Amino acid sequence: MRAAAEIESFQAIGISRLAHALKAEGRSIIHMEFGQPSTGAPRAAIETAHRVLDADGMGYWESPALKARLARHYKERYGVEAEPDQFILTCGASPALVLALASSFSPGDRVALARPGYVAYRNTLKALHMTPVEIACGPEARFQLTAAALAALDPAPDGVIVASPANPTGSIVAPEEMAAIAAVCRARAIRIVSDEIYHGLSYGAPTPSMLEFEPDALVINSFSKYFSMVGWRLGWLLCPKAHLDRARAYVGNLFLTAPSLSQHAGLVAMDSRDELDGHVAVYARNRQLLLDALPRLGLASIAPPDGAFYVYADIGHLTDDSVAFCKALLNDTGVATAPGVDFDPVDGARFIRFSFAVSTLEIQEALGRLEPWFKDAATRR
Ligand SMILES: Cc1ncc(COP(=O)(O)O)c(C=O)c1O
């Protein structure tokens, strides 16, 4: 019998557990370890949910209105034509990723991805008995995949996961590079899965959809980030028409439908842009505060935080054990962060990720605690 794949758990979960234990002891904790907005769902979405809860039987359901609204979103935002039926609603981007991979690739297939990258890419591939092909993307590549790196892989992988803006770095692939990646993938028959979960969270750089360059790409997205609806568990897979029957067979067997209540609320959230853009304005302020302060902390080498709500910083001058470092930082200051090993099994021991999806007051408080701690850490070394 073949053994189940071994996959690692998130180290950030351990840090978070410690943070909650310290909080229970009465300590003041600032949660910068997870990529989740501290704001709730848009007000109008919550009001709708309250109303619908008393009136709807909540059966298995895919909201035709939400799928039509998503199709309009792609037309307006990206100039991409998609039929409402091409959207498969899921419980967040996580099952959308499983669906995209399971319905596109076979066990043993090789799928390329950037290192550093979102931990679940590597582990979901392994759980599906596929082979992650990690491409080291350091400062010289702005921590992002490039067409040249994909073209250089020999043999060509069966697929690639593109993530822009990316987790943990926030780096964005420029439109010309996206076009070049799409061209290499077309020429080498590499199927693209594009994770666009951080769209809507950019601090100036454009974030085109991969569909503008490759209509056969599978796109995953979610209400967890820009829409600030993490716990509502709602996302989507936008599928090329030729792939739809296959993907529908998978979703019907693996997941069935997304929560009805969340679909009602998500539809309303899509028209709550003023409130949601208000959150983005807060992230932009938080980001600037961090960027101004990090050199004072001695953190001069960071990935370009073009989008999302993360800063991924090199702490190699202070440690070669990012897990121990995050624990010590949390114990001493109450500031919880994510160790780089979650995102990069090779170099992540000398990186740390800060999430700035918290309030500006919390960022200011965190910086007040971090500055003396990092100065001390530098002298201890
Ligand atoms: C890059 C990326 N993709 C997908 C997800 C999964 O998000 P969800 O399942 O909440 O939609 C996350 C969560 O942090 C992420 O960072």
Side-chain angles (χ1 to χ4, degrees), residues 86-365:
Q86 284 175 257
F87 292 88
I88 298 181
L89 302 175
T90 56
C91 298
S94 306
L97 176 69
V98 173
L99 266 185
L101 297 176
S103 65
S104 300
F105 306 110
S106 303
D109 277 1
R110 300 165 63 255
V111 179
L113 62 159
R115 175 173 64 74
Y118 178 46
V119 60
Y121 298 150
R122 182 173 11 110
N123 286 333
T124 306
L125 286 164
K126 284 191 194 165
L128 294 170
H129 298 279
M130 295 162 188
T131 307
V133 178
E134 295 190 322
I135 300 180
C137 300
E140 66 298 335
R142 303 184 71 257
F143 292 87
Q144 264 293 3
L145 274 186
T146 60
L150 266 180
L153 285 182
D154 184 22
D158 302 284
V160 62
I161 301 174
V162 178
S164 171
N167 178 5
T169 56
S171 59
I172 285 178
V173 181
E176 319 76 71
E177 194 63 34
M178 285 273 248
I181 289 173
V184 168
C185 289
R186 208 168 309 126
R188 308 193 77 196
I190 303 170
R191 163 144 263 170
I192 302 175
V193 174
S194 182
D195 183 351
E196 303 184 355
I197 189 170
Y198 291 105
H199 277 213
L201 299 174
S202 162
Y203 307 101
T207 51
S209 171
M210 183 52 90
L211 291 170
E212 293 173 52
F213 310 105
E214 178 48 70
D216 280 339
L218 276 78
V219 168
I220 65 176
N221 207 325
S222 161
F223 282 80
S224 291
K225 308 294 175 178
Y226 172 76
F227 293 100
S228 191
M229 292 177 68
V230 176
W232 296 73
R233 307 311 299 137
L234 184 63
W236 65 90
L237 169 66
L238 172 46
C239 233
K241 281 184 187 157
H243 193 75
L244 208 49
D245 286 347
R246 203 178 158 76
R248 287 224 169 270
Y250 272 79
V251 74
N253 282 285
L254 295 184
F255 303 116
L256 290 172
T257 50
S260 301
L261 189 64
S262 306
Q263 297 180 53
H264 286 292
L267 176 62
V268 176
M270 292 200 70
D271 290 315
S272 303
R273 295 209 82 92
D274 287 351
E275 188 177 337
L276 295 169
D277 287 344
H279 300 332
V280 183
V282 172
Y283 303 148
R285 275 202 297 281
N286 294 353
R287 170 181 176 274
Q288 198 53 56
L289 281 170
L290 271 174
L291 293 185
D292 292 345
L294 289 180
R296 293 202 299 276
L297 269 55
L299 301 182
S301 172
I302 59 168
D306 306 323
F309 32 52
Y310 304 119
V311 169
Y312 193 59
D314 192 337
I315 49 165
H317 57 297
L318 299 174
T319 187
D320 54 9
D321 181 350
S322 54
V323 177
F325 187 88
C326 288
K327 282 185 186 157
L329 178 63
L330 172 60
N331 266 314
D332 294 347
T333 67
V335 179
T337 52
V341 286
D342 271 347
F343 314 101
D344 182 342
V346 180
D347 296 319
R350 56 179 184 84
F351 282 87
I352 188 172
R353 188 195 71 180
F354 299 92
S355 164
F356 53 82
V358 291
S359 70
T360 301
L361 268 177
E362 285 176 299
I363 291 285
Q364 284 162 333
E365 173 63 27

